[in-house]
Amino acid sequence: MAHLNQMPIATKENKLDISSEKKLEEVAKQVKSNLKNGDILYLYGEIGVGKTTFVKYLIHEFQKVNNEKLTEVTSPTFNIMNEYNVGEITIKHYDLFRIKSYQEIEDLNLFDNRKKSIFLIEWPQIIKKNSDSIIKLSFEYDNNYQNRYIKIID
């Protein structure tokens, strides 16, 4: 997890402003440059705070680097997982909002093929398994819901 905590965009508070889509895109670009195969991103936050939009920009950054066409990136709320093959990497985007038991997580084989994949997981609270390659990002509103930010959780 240390490789994200050392990001050049991180502030001393580990709080990054994502109040505009442009800022969210910039943060996704910086996060992308620090990711490697086997990494797992846990994305915490309320509905509508920007988790899926962040994932879209992150996947687009991978596609740009590989000179690939930018694809539509949607929330996998109903089908649980969307998969994107970008160059030599498979990006697995999970939305676990509808998962109600840990057994359902086990049935998904969530972390199969880790060495060739990056995992982006919205609503990870139900996952019990921990790994040294987990990066936890909390997407939050400020007190008046006008601004949004990402915090890197230790």
Side-chain angles (χ1 to χ4, degrees):
M1 183 162 118
H3 58 285
L4 265 192
N5 285 335
Q6 297 169 356
M7 290 181 3
I9 58 168
T11 66
K12 63 183 174 183
E13 299 174 352
N14 283 336
K15 189 172 167 179
L16 309 171
D17 181 15
I18 57 165
S19 296
S20 71
E21 280 206 39
K22 184 67 179 160
K23 289 179 181 178
L24 185 59
E25 186 176 11
E26 290 169 7
V27 170
K29 187 175 186 174
Q30 290 295 321
V31 170
K32 184 257 170 233
S33 68
N34 287 278
L35 288 179
K36 61 188 182 322
N37 281 340
D39 280 344
I40 302 164
L41 265 70
Y42 283 179
L43 309 173
Y44 298 91
E46 298 176 44
I47 292 174
V49 75
K51 297 180 303 291
T52 301
T53 304
F54 170 80
V55 168
K56 173 183 82 170
Y57 287 127
L58 187 60
I59 290 170
H60 284 174
E61 286 302 320
F62 278 98
Q63 291 170 331
K64 288 176 190 176
V65 167
N66 286 281
N67 296 315
E68 295 182 12
K69 181 180 176 186
L70 302 184
T71 59
E72 183 177 2
V73 175
T74 59
S75 174
T77 300
F78 296 103
N79 55 336
I80 309 296
M81 192 262 293
N82 291 336
E83 188 171 285
Y84 304 88
N85 293 308
V86 184
E88 300 291 318
I89 299 172
T90 299
I91 301 172
K92 295 183 178 186
H93 177 205
Y94 290 88
D95 184 326
L96 304 181
F97 184 75
R98 297 184 315 123
I99 301 295
K100 300 301 177 212
S101 73
Y102 187 72
Q103 183 57 49
E104 290 179 82
I105 295 292
E106 290 289 313
D107 294 344
L108 288 174
N109 297 319
L110 196 62
F111 301 119
D112 282 359
N113 208 9
R114 265 204 57 201
K115 293 185 181 195
K116 293 186 179 183
S117 300
I118 293 173
F119 299 84
L120 312 174
I121 304 172
E122 297 185 44
W123 305 98
Q125 292 85 334
I126 197 165
I127 299 173
K128 296 177 183 176
K129 190 180 207 179
N130 280 318
S131 167
D132 58 348
S133 295
I134 294 175
I135 300 155
K136 297 177 183 179
L137 301 177
S138 179
F139 291 69
E140 301 176 13
Y141 290 106
D142 67 3
N143 292 337
N144 62 10
Y145 291 91
Q146 297 300 312
N147 298 311
R148 294 172 294 134
Y149 57 90
I150 295 175
K151 284 175 68 175
I152 300 168
I153 303 171
D154 290 327

Coordinates of all heavy atoms in Angstrom, one line a residue, residues 7-85:
M7 N 2.4 9.0 -3.4 CA 2.0 9.7 -4.6 C 2.4 11.1 -4.5 O 2.1 11.8 -3.5 CB 0.5 9.5 -4.9 CG 0.1 8.1 -5.3 SD -1.6 7.9 -5.7 CE -2.4 9.4 -5.6
P8 N 2.9 11.7 -5.6 CA 3.3 13.1 -5.6 C 2.1 14.0 -5.4 O 2.2 15.2 -5.0 CB 4.0 13.3 -6.9 CG 3.5 12.2 -7.8 CD 3.2 11.1 -6.9
I9 N 0.9 13.6 -5.7 CA -0.3 14.4 -5.6 C -0.9 14.4 -4.2 O -1.8 15.2 -3.8 CB -1.4 14.0 -6.6 CG1 -1.8 12.6 -6.4 CG2 -1.0 14.3 -8.0 CD1 -3.1 12.2 -7.1
A10 N -0.4 13.5 -3.3 CA -1.0 13.4 -2.0 C -0.6 14.6 -1.1 O 0.5 15.1 -1.2 CB -0.5 12.1 -1.3
T11 N -1.5 15.0 -0.4 CA -1.2 16.1 0.5 C -0.8 15.6 1.9 O -0.9 14.4 2.1 CB -2.5 17.0 0.7 OG1 -3.5 16.3 1.4 CG2 -3.0 17.5 -0.6
K12 N -0.4 16.4 2.8 CA -0.1 15.9 4.1 C -1.2 15.2 4.8 O -1.1 14.5 5.8 CB 0.6 17.0 5.0 CG -0.4 18.1 5.3 CD 0.4 19.2 6.1 CE -0.5 20.4 6.2 NZ 0.2 21.5 6.9
E13 N -2.5 15.6 4.4 CA -3.7 15.0 5.0 C -4.1 13.7 4.2 O -5.1 13.1 4.6 CB -4.8 16.0 5.0 CG -4.5 17.2 5.8 CD -5.6 18.3 5.7 OE1 -6.5 18.1 4.9 OE2 -5.5 19.3 6.4
N14 N -3.4 13.4 3.1 CA -3.9 12.3 2.3 C -5.3 12.5 1.8 O -6.1 11.6 1.6 CB -3.8 10.9 3.0 CG -2.4 10.4 3.0 OD1 -1.5 10.8 2.2 ND2 -2.1 9.5 4.0
K15 N -5.6 13.8 1.5 CA -7.0 14.2 1.1 C -6.8 14.9 -0.3 O -6.1 15.9 -0.4 CB -7.5 15.1 2.1 CG -9.0 15.4 2.0 CD -9.4 16.2 3.3 CE -10.7 16.9 3.1 NZ -11.1 17.6 4.3
L16 N -7.5 14.3 -1.3 CA -7.4 14.8 -2.7 C -8.7 15.4 -3.1 O -9.7 14.7 -3.1 CB -6.9 13.7 -3.6 CG -5.7 12.9 -3.2 CD1 -5.5 11.7 -4.1 CD2 -4.5 13.8 -3.2
D17 N -8.7 16.6 -3.6 CA -9.9 17.3 -4.1 C -10.4 16.7 -5.4 O -9.6 16.6 -6.3 CB -9.7 18.8 -4.2 CG -10.9 19.5 -4.7 OD1 -12.0 19.0 -4.6 OD2 -10.7 20.7 -5.1
I18 N -11.7 16.2 -5.4 CA -12.2 15.7 -6.7 C -13.6 16.4 -6.9 O -14.5 15.7 -7.4 CB -12.4 14.1 -6.6 CG1 -13.3 13.7 -5.4 CG2 -11.1 13.4 -6.6 CD1 -13.8 12.3 -5.5
S19 N -13.7 17.6 -6.6 CA -14.9 18.4 -6.7 C -15.4 18.6 -8.1 O -16.6 18.8 -8.4 CB -14.9 19.7 -6.0 OG -14.6 19.5 -4.6
S20 N -14.5 18.5 -9.1 CA -14.9 18.5 -10.5 C -14.4 17.3 -11.2 O -13.6 16.6 -10.7 CB -14.2 19.8 -11.2 OG -12.8 19.5 -11.3
E21 N -15.1 17.0 -12.4 CA -14.7 15.8 -13.1 C -13.2 15.9 -13.6 O -12.5 14.9 -13.7 CB -15.6 15.5 -14.3 CG -16.9 14.8 -13.8 CD -17.6 14.0 -14.9 OE1 -16.9 13.3 -15.7 OE2 -18.8 14.1 -14.9
K22 N -12.8 17.1 -13.9 CA -11.4 17.3 -14.4 C -10.4 16.9 -13.2 O -9.5 16.2 -13.5 CB -11.2 18.8 -14.8 CG -9.8 19.0 -15.3 CD -9.6 18.3 -16.6 CE -8.3 18.6 -17.2 NZ -7.8 17.6 -18.2
K23 N -10.7 17.3 -12.0 CA -9.9 16.9 -10.9 C -9.9 15.4 -10.6 O -8.9 14.8 -10.4 CB -10.3 17.7 -9.6 CG -10.0 19.2 -9.7 CD -10.4 19.9 -8.4 CE -10.1 21.4 -8.5 NZ -10.6 22.1 -7.3
L24 N -11.1 14.8 -10.8 CA -11.2 13.4 -10.6 C -10.4 12.7 -11.7 O -9.7 11.7 -11.4 CB -12.7 13.0 -10.7 CG -13.0 11.5 -10.4 CD1 -12.5 11.1 -9.0 CD2 -14.5 11.3 -10.5
E25 N -10.4 13.2 -12.9 CA -9.7 12.6 -14.0 C -8.2 12.7 -13.7 O -7.4 11.7 -13.9 CB -10.0 13.3 -15.3 CG -9.4 12.7 -16.5 CD -9.8 13.3 -17.8 OE1 -10.5 14.4 -17.8 OE2 -9.5 12.7 -18.9
E26 N -7.7 13.8 -13.2 CA -6.3 14.0 -12.8 C -5.9 13.0 -11.7 O -4.8 12.5 -11.8 CB -6.1 15.4 -12.4 CG -6.2 16.5 -13.5 CD -6.2 17.9 -13.0 OE1 -5.9 18.1 -11.8 OE2 -6.4 18.8 -13.9
V27 N -6.7 12.8 -10.7 CA -6.4 11.9 -9.7 C -6.3 10.5 -10.2 O -5.4 9.7 -9.9 CB -7.4 12.0 -8.5 CG1 -7.2 10.9 -7.5 CG2 -7.2 13.4 -7.8
A28 N -7.2 10.1 -11.1 CA -7.2 8.8 -11.7 C -5.9 8.6 -12.5 O -5.3 7.5 -12.4 CB -8.4 8.6 -12.6
K29 N -5.5 9.6 -13.2 CA -4.2 9.5 -13.9 C -3.1 9.2 -13.0 O -2.2 8.4 -13.3 CB -4.0 10.7 -14.7 CG -2.9 10.7 -15.7 CD -2.8 11.9 -16.6 CE -1.7 11.8 -17.6 NZ -1.7 12.9 -18.5
Q30 N -3.0 9.9 -11.9 CA -1.9 9.7 -10.9 C -2.0 8.4 -10.3 O -0.9 7.7 -10.1 CB -1.9 10.8 -9.9 CG -1.6 12.2 -10.4 CD -0.1 12.2 -10.8 OE1 0.8 11.6 -10.2 NE2 0.1 12.9 -11.9
V31 N -3.2 7.9 -9.9 CA -3.3 6.6 -9.3 C -2.9 5.5 -10.3 O -2.2 4.6 -10.0 CB -4.8 6.4 -8.8 CG1 -5.0 4.9 -8.4 CG2 -5.1 7.3 -7.7
K32 N -3.3 5.7 -11.6 CA -2.9 4.7 -12.6 C -1.4 4.5 -12.7 O -0.9 3.4 -12.8 CB -3.5 5.1 -14.0 CG -3.2 4.1 -15.1 CD -2.1 4.7 -15.9 CE -1.6 3.6 -16.9 NZ -0.2 3.4 -16.8
S33 N -0.7 5.6 -12.6 CA 0.8 5.6 -12.7 C 1.4 4.8 -11.5 O 2.6 4.5 -11.6 CB 1.4 6.9 -12.9 OG 1.2 7.7 -11.7
N34 N 0.7 4.6 -10.5 CA 1.2 3.9 -9.3 C 0.7 2.5 -9.2 O 1.0 1.8 -8.2 CB 0.9 4.7 -8.0 CG 1.7 5.9 -7.9 OD1 2.8 5.9 -7.5 ND2 1.2 7.1 -8.4
L35 N -0.2 2.0 -10.1 CA -0.7 0.7 -10.0 C 0.1 -0.3 -10.8 O 0.7 0.0 -11.7 CB -2.2 0.7 -10.5 CG -3.2 1.3 -9.7 CD1 -4.6 1.3 -10.4 CD2 -3.3 0.8 -8.3
K36 N 0.0 -1.6 -10.3 CA 0.7 -2.7 -10.9 C -0.2 -3.9 -10.8 O -1.1 -4.0 -10.0 CB 2.1 -2.9 -10.3 CG 2.0 -3.3 -8.9 CD 3.4 -3.3 -8.3 CE 3.5 -3.7 -6.8 NZ 2.5 -3.3 -6.0
N37 N 0.1 -4.9 -11.7 CA -0.6 -6.2 -11.6 C -0.7 -6.7 -10.2 O 0.3 -6.6 -9.5 CB 0.0 -7.2 -12.5 CG -0.4 -7.0 -14.0 OD1 -1.4 -6.3 -14.3 ND2 0.4 -7.6 -14.9
G38 N -1.8 -7.2 -9.8 CA -2.0 -7.8 -8.5 C -2.5 -6.8 -7.5 O -2.9 -7.2 -6.4
D39 N -2.6 -5.5 -7.8 CA -3.1 -4.5 -6.9 C -4.6 -4.6 -6.8 O -5.3 -5.0 -7.8 CB -2.7 -3.1 -7.3 CG -1.3 -2.7 -6.9 OD1 -0.7 -3.4 -6.0 OD2 -0.8 -1.7 -7.4
I40 N -5.1 -4.3 -5.6 CA -6.5 -4.3 -5.3 C -6.9 -2.9 -4.8 O -6.3 -2.5 -3.8 CB -6.9 -5.4 -4.3 CG1 -6.5 -6.8 -4.8 CG2 -8.4 -5.4 -4.0 CD1 -6.4 -7.8 -3.7
L41 N -7.8 -2.3 -5.4 CA -8.3 -1.0 -4.9 C -9.7 -1.2 -4.2 O -10.6 -1.7 -4.9 CB -8.5 0.0 -6.0 CG -7.3 1.0 -6.2 CD1 -6.1 0.3 -6.8 CD2 -7.7 2.1 -7.1
Y42 N -9.8 -0.9 -3.0 CA -11.1 -0.9 -2.3 C -11.6 0.6 -2.4 O -10.9 1.5 -1.9 CB -11.0 -1.3 -0.8 CG -10.8 -2.8 -0.6 CD1 -10.7 -3.2 0.7 CD2 -10.8 -3.7 -1.6 CE1 -10.5 -4.6 1.0 CE2 -10.7 -5.1 -1.3 CZ -10.5 -5.5 0.0 OH -10.4 -6.8 0.3
L43 N -12.8 0.7 -2.9 CA -13.4 2.0 -3.1 C -14.6 2.2 -2.2 O -15.7 1.6 -2.4 CB -13.8 2.2 -4.5 CG -12.7 1.9 -5.6 CD1 -13.2 2.0 -7.0 CD2 -11.5 2.9 -5.4
Y44 N -14.5 3.0 -1.1 CA -15.5 3.2 -0.2 C -16.2 4.5 -0.5 O -15.6 5.5 -0.9 CB -15.0 3.3 1.3 CG -14.3 2.0 1.7 CD1 -12.9 1.9 1.5 CD2 -15.0 1.0 2.4 CE1 -12.3 0.7 2.0 CE2 -14.4 -0.1 2.8 CZ -13.0 -0.3 2.6 OH -12.4 -1.4 3.1
G45 N -17.5 4.6 -0.1 CA -18.2 5.9 -0.3 C -19.7 5.7 -0.6 O -20.1 4.7 -1.0
E46 N -20.4 6.8 -0.3 CA -21.8 6.8 -0.6 C -22.2 6.7 -2.1 O -21.3 6.9 -2.9 CB -22.4 8.2 -0.1 CG -22.3 8.4 1.4 CD -22.8 9.8 1.7 OE1 -23.9 10.2 1.3 OE2 -22.1 10.5 2.5
I47 N -23.4 6.3 -2.3 CA -23.9 6.3 -3.7 C -23.8 7.7 -4.3 O -24.1 8.7 -3.6 CB -25.3 5.8 -3.8 CG1 -25.4 4.3 -3.4 CG2 -25.9 6.0 -5.1 CD1 -26.8 3.7 -3.3
G48 N -23.2 7.8 -5.5 CA -23.2 9.1 -6.2 C -22.0 10.0 -5.9 O -21.9 11.1 -6.4
V49 N -21.1 9.5 -5.1 CA -19.9 10.3 -4.7 C -18.8 10.4 -5.7 O -17.9 11.2 -5.6 CB -19.4 10.0 -3.3 CG1 -18.6 8.7 -3.3 CG2 -18.6 11.1 -2.6
G50 N -18.8 9.4 -6.7 CA -17.8 9.5 -7.7 C -17.0 8.2 -7.9 O -16.0 8.2 -8.7
K51 N -17.3 7.1 -7.2 CA -16.5 5.9 -7.3 C -16.5 5.3 -8.8 O -15.4 5.1 -9.3 CB -17.0 4.8 -6.4 CG -16.9 5.2 -4.9 CD -17.5 4.1 -4.0 CE -18.9 3.7 -4.3 NZ -19.9 4.7 -3.9
T52 N -17.6 5.2 -9.4 CA -17.7 4.6 -10.7 C -17.1 5.6 -11.8 O -16.4 5.1 -12.7 CB -19.1 4.2 -11.1 OG1 -19.6 3.3 -10.1 CG2 -19.2 3.6 -12.5
T53 N -17.3 6.9 -11.6 CA -16.7 7.8 -12.5 C -15.1 7.8 -12.4 O -14.4 7.8 -13.4 CB -17.2 9.2 -12.2 OG1 -18.6 9.2 -12.3 CG2 -16.6 10.3 -13.2
F54 N -14.6 7.6 -11.2 CA -13.2 7.5 -11.0 C -12.7 6.2 -11.7 O -11.7 6.3 -12.4 CB -12.9 7.3 -9.5 CG -11.5 6.9 -9.2 CD1 -10.5 7.8 -9.2 CD2 -11.2 5.6 -8.8 CE1 -9.2 7.4 -8.9 CE2 -9.9 5.2 -8.5 CZ -8.9 6.1 -8.6
V55 N -13.4 5.1 -11.6 CA -13.1 3.9 -12.3 C -13.0 4.1 -13.8 O -12.1 3.6 -14.5 CB -14.0 2.7 -11.9 CG1 -13.8 1.5 -12.8 CG2 -13.8 2.3 -10.4
K56 N -14.0 4.8 -14.3 CA -14.0 5.1 -15.7 C -12.8 5.8 -16.2 O -12.1 5.4 -17.1 CB -15.3 6.0 -16.1 CG -15.3 6.4 -17.5 CD -16.4 7.3 -17.8 CE -16.1 8.7 -17.4 NZ -17.1 9.7 -17.8
Y57 N -12.4 6.9 -15.5 CA -11.2 7.6 -15.8 C -9.9 6.8 -15.7 O -9.0 6.9 -16.4 CB -11.1 8.9 -15.0 CG -12.1 9.9 -15.5 CD1 -12.9 10.6 -14.6 CD2 -12.2 10.3 -16.8 CE1 -13.8 11.5 -15.0 CE2 -13.1 11.3 -17.2 CZ -13.9 11.9 -16.3 OH -14.8 12.8 -16.7
L58 N -9.9 5.9 -14.6 CA -8.8 5.0 -14.4 C -8.6 4.1 -15.6 O -7.5 3.9 -16.1 CB -8.9 4.3 -13.1 CG -7.8 3.5 -12.6 CD1 -6.5 4.3 -12.4 CD2 -8.2 2.8 -11.3
I59 N -9.7 3.4 -16.0 CA -9.6 2.5 -17.1 C -9.3 3.2 -18.4 O -8.4 2.7 -19.2 CB -10.9 1.7 -17.2 CG1 -11.1 0.7 -16.0 CG2 -11.0 0.9 -18.5 CD1 -12.4 0.1 -15.9
H60 N -9.8 4.4 -18.6 CA -9.4 5.2 -19.8 C -8.0 5.5 -19.8 O -7.3 5.5 -20.9 CB -10.3 6.4 -19.9 CG -11.7 6.2 -20.3 ND1 -12.6 7.2 -20.3 CD2 -12.3 5.0 -20.7 CE1 -13.8 6.7 -20.8 NE2 -13.6 5.4 -21.0
E61 N -7.4 5.8 -18.7 CA -5.9 6.0 -18.6 C -5.1 4.8 -19.1 O -4.2 4.9 -19.8 CB -5.5 6.5 -17.2 CG -5.9 7.9 -16.9 CD -5.4 8.9 -17.9 OE1 -4.2 8.8 -18.3 OE2 -6.1 9.9 -18.2
F62 N -5.5 3.6 -18.6 CA -4.9 2.4 -19.1 C -5.0 2.2 -20.6 O -4.1 1.9 -21.3 CB -5.4 1.2 -18.4 CG -4.8 0.9 -17.0 CD1 -5.4 1.4 -15.9 CD2 -3.6 0.3 -16.9 CE1 -4.8 1.1 -14.6 CE2 -3.0 0.1 -15.7 CZ -3.6 0.5 -14.5
Q63 N -6.2 2.5 -21.1 CA -6.5 2.4 -22.5 C -5.7 3.4 -23.4 O -5.1 3.0 -24.4 CB -8.0 2.5 -22.8 CG -8.8 1.4 -22.3 CD -10.3 1.6 -22.3 OE1 -10.8 2.7 -22.2 NE2 -11.0 0.5 -22.4
K64 N -5.6 4.6 -22.9 CA -4.8 5.6 -23.6 C -3.3 5.2 -23.7 O -2.7 5.3 -24.8 CB -4.8 7.0 -22.9 CG -6.2 7.7 -23.0 CD -6.1 8.9 -22.1 CE -7.5 9.6 -22.0 NZ -7.5 10.7 -21.1
V65 N -2.7 4.7 -22.6 CA -1.3 4.3 -22.6 C -1.1 3.1 -23.6 O 0.0 3.0 -24.2 CB -0.9 3.9 -21.2 CG1 0.4 3.1 -21.2 CG2 -0.8 5.1 -20.3
N66 N -2.1 2.3 -23.8 CA -2.0 1.2 -24.7 C -2.5 1.5 -26.1 O -2.7 0.6 -26.9 CB -2.7 0.0 -24.1 CG -2.0 -0.7 -23.0 OD1 -1.0 -1.4 -23.2 ND2 -2.3 -0.3 -21.7
N67 N -2.8 2.8 -26.4 CA -3.3 3.2 -27.7 C -4.6 2.4 -28.1 O -4.7 2.0 -29.2 CB -2.2 3.1 -28.8 CG -1.1 4.0 -28.5 OD1 -1.3 5.2 -28.1 ND2 0.1 3.5 -28.6
E68 N -5.4 2.2 -27.1 CA -6.7 1.5 -27.4 C -7.9 2.5 -27.4 O -7.8 3.6 -26.7 CB -6.9 0.4 -26.3 CG -5.9 -0.7 -26.4 CD -6.1 -1.8 -25.4 OE1 -7.2 -1.8 -24.8 OE2 -5.2 -2.6 -25.2
K69 N -8.9 2.1 -28.0 CA -10.1 2.9 -28.1 C -10.7 3.0 -26.7 O -10.7 2.0 -25.9 CB -11.1 2.3 -29.0 CG -12.4 3.0 -29.1 CD -13.4 2.3 -30.1 CE -14.7 3.1 -30.1 NZ -15.7 2.4 -30.9
L70 N -11.2 4.2 -26.3 CA -11.8 4.3 -25.0 C -13.2 3.7 -25.0 O -14.0 3.9 -25.9 CB -11.9 5.8 -24.6 CG -10.6 6.6 -24.5 CD1 -10.9 8.0 -24.0 CD2 -9.6 5.9 -23.7
T71 N -13.4 2.8 -24.0 CA -14.7 2.1 -24.0 C -15.6 2.7 -23.0 O -15.2 3.5 -22.1 CB -14.5 0.6 -23.6 OG1 -13.8 0.6 -22.3 CG2 -13.6 -0.1 -24.6
E72 N -16.9 2.3 -23.1 CA -17.9 2.8 -22.1 C -17.6 2.0 -20.9 O -17.4 0.8 -20.9 CB -19.3 2.5 -22.6 CG -20.3 3.0 -21.7 CD -21.8 2.8 -22.2 OE1 -21.9 2.3 -23.3 OE2 -22.7 3.2 -21.5
V73 N -17.6 2.7 -19.7 CA -17.4 2.1 -18.4 C -18.6 2.4 -17.6 O -18.9 3.5 -17.4 CB -16.1 2.6 -17.7 CG1 -16.0 2.0 -16.3 CG2 -14.9 2.3 -18.6
T74 N -19.3 1.3 -17.2 CA -20.5 1.5 -16.5 C -20.4 0.8 -15.1 O -19.6 -0.1 -14.9 CB -21.7 0.9 -17.3 OG1 -21.5 -0.5 -17.5 CG2 -22.0 1.6 -18.6
S75 N -21.4 1.1 -14.3 CA -21.4 0.4 -13.0 C -21.8 -1.0 -13.1 O -22.8 -1.3 -13.8 CB -22.4 1.2 -12.1 OG -22.5 0.5 -10.8
P76 N -21.1 -1.9 -12.5 CA -21.5 -3.3 -12.5 C -22.5 -3.7 -11.4 O -22.5 -4.8 -10.9 CB -20.2 -4.1 -12.4 CG -19.4 -3.1 -11.5 CD -19.8 -1.7 -11.9
T77 N -23.3 -2.8 -11.0 CA -24.2 -3.0 -9.9 C -25.1 -4.3 -10.1 O -25.2 -5.1 -9.1 CB -25.2 -1.8 -9.6 OG1 -24.4 -0.7 -9.3 CG2 -26.1 -2.0 -8.5
F78 N -25.6 -4.5 -11.2 CA -26.5 -5.6 -11.4 C -25.8 -6.9 -11.9 O -26.3 -8.0 -11.5 CB -27.6 -5.2 -12.4 CG -28.5 -4.1 -11.9 CD1 -28.3 -2.8 -12.3 CD2 -29.4 -4.4 -10.9 CE1 -29.1 -1.8 -11.8 CE2 -30.2 -3.4 -10.3 CZ -30.0 -2.1 -10.8
N79 N -24.8 -6.8 -12.6 CA -24.0 -8.0 -13.0 C -22.8 -8.3 -12.1 O -22.1 -9.2 -12.4 CB -23.7 -8.0 -14.4 CG -22.9 -6.7 -14.8 OD1 -23.0 -5.7 -14.2 ND2 -22.1 -6.8 -15.9
I80 N -22.6 -7.5 -11.1 CA -21.5 -7.7 -10.0 C -20.1 -7.3 -10.6 O -19.4 -6.7 -9.9 CB -21.5 -9.1 -9.4 CG1 -22.9 -9.5 -8.9 CG2 -20.5 -9.1 -8.3 CD1 -23.5 -8.6 -7.8
M81 N -19.8 -7.7 -11.8 CA -18.4 -7.5 -12.3 C -18.4 -7.2 -13.7 O -19.1 -7.8 -14.5 CB -17.5 -8.8 -12.0 CG -16.0 -8.5 -12.2 SD -15.3 -9.0 -13.7 CE -15.5 -10.8 -13.7
N82 N -17.6 -6.2 -14.1 CA -17.3 -5.9 -15.5 C -15.8 -6.1 -15.6 O -15.0 -5.8 -14.8 CB -17.6 -4.4 -15.9 CG -19.1 -4.2 -15.9 OD1 -19.9 -5.1 -16.1 ND2 -19.5 -2.9 -15.7
E83 N -15.4 -6.7 -16.8 CA -14.0 -7.0 -17.0 C -13.5 -6.2 -18.3 O -14.2 -6.2 -19.3 CB -13.8 -8.5 -17.2 CG -12.4 -8.9 -17.3 CD -12.3 -10.5 -17.2 OE1 -12.5 -11.0 -16.2 OE2 -12.0 -11.0 -18.3
Y84 N -12.3 -5.7 -18.2 CA -11.7 -4.9 -19.2 C -10.3 -5.4 -19.5 O -9.5 -5.5 -18.6 CB -11.6 -3.4 -18.9 CG -13.0 -2.8 -18.5 CD1 -13.4 -2.9 -17.2 CD2 -13.8 -2.2 -19.5 CE1 -14.7 -2.4 -16.8 CE2 -15.0 -1.7 -19.1 CZ -15.4 -1.8 -17.8 OH -16.7 -1.3 -17.5
N85 N -10.1 -5.9 -20.7 CA -8.7 -6.3 -21.1 C -8.0 -5.2 -21.8 O -8.4 -4.7 -22.8 CB -8.8 -7.5 -22.0 CG -9.4 -8.7 -21.3 OD1 -8.9 -9.1 -20.2 ND2 -10.4 -9.3 -21.8

